[in-house]
Amino acid sequence: CFKQAGFVKKIDPASKATLYMTLALVGQFALLLGAVGIIVVSSGIIGVSASSGSFPAGVSAIVGIVGLVVLLIGVFWLVAIFGMRSSLVRYYNTVEPMGLRLSGVMTFFFNIIYFQYHLSRIANWEKTGVLA
């Protein structure tokens, strides 16, 4: 995905896709560290609170923060993907007009695989002049 974002950066220097993908990756790393922290910290807390039938406020706050990080990761990823989509469509319909159309739904669900499919088609078109 970073290789595709790098390619998009070449055709659109204003693209921020690499930045947003990096932020999503940092968020995933922070989430991993947070999950390990929750397991370590809550192993003692949950054992004590099991008798009372409720979780302490500290665990609820940590779970809320983890939820926020997950949300931010998703937002950064979607901003990166749809920014790449916008740059590709703009470039391949103005600078090198080939009539590229990228579905928003396909971009959302299959983003990197979908881009790779179209980038392969574009490479073939640039080599042969035939759009398959």
Side-chain angles (χ1 to χ4, degrees):
C1 61
F2 279 97
K3 189 171 185 176
Q4 292 172 343
F7 174 76
V8 170
K9 185 77 169 173
K10 285 181 186 177
I11 64 171
D12 182 10
S15 173
K16 303 255 187 277
T18 307
L19 169 67
Y20 288 117
M21 284 187 171
T22 303
L23 289 172
L25 184 65
V26 167
Q28 289 174 349
F29 184 69
L31 189 62
L32 177 64
L33 290 177
V36 169
I38 288 173
I39 291 169
V40 169
V41 170
S42 67
S43 61
I45 295 172
I46 291 174
V48 171
S49 66
S51 61
S52 68
S54 65
F55 291 108
V59 172
S60 298
I62 292 172
V63 170
I65 291 170
V66 167
L68 180 64
V69 170
V70 168
L71 180 66
L72 286 174
I73 290 169
V75 167
F76 286 143
W77 184 259
L78 287 175
V79 168
I81 292 300
F82 279 92
M84 288 172 59
R85 176 184 177 270
S86 175
S87 295
L88 287 168
V89 168
R90 187 178 325 109
Y91 183 82
Y92 285 108
N93 287 323
T94 56
V95 178
E96 291 187 38
M98 65 170 283
L100 180 65
R101 290 177 298 168
L102 296 174
S103 164
V105 173
M106 293 291 284
T107 300
F108 182 83
F109 287 109
F110 305 107
N111 42 61
I112 298 301
I113 297 167
Y114 186 59
F115 288 158
Q116 191 58 50
Y117 167 75
H118 282 286
L119 291 173
S120 296
R121 286 182 57 227
I122 291 167
N124 186 42
W125 172 68
E126 289 177 346
K127 280 183 191 174
T128 64
V130 176
L131 186 60

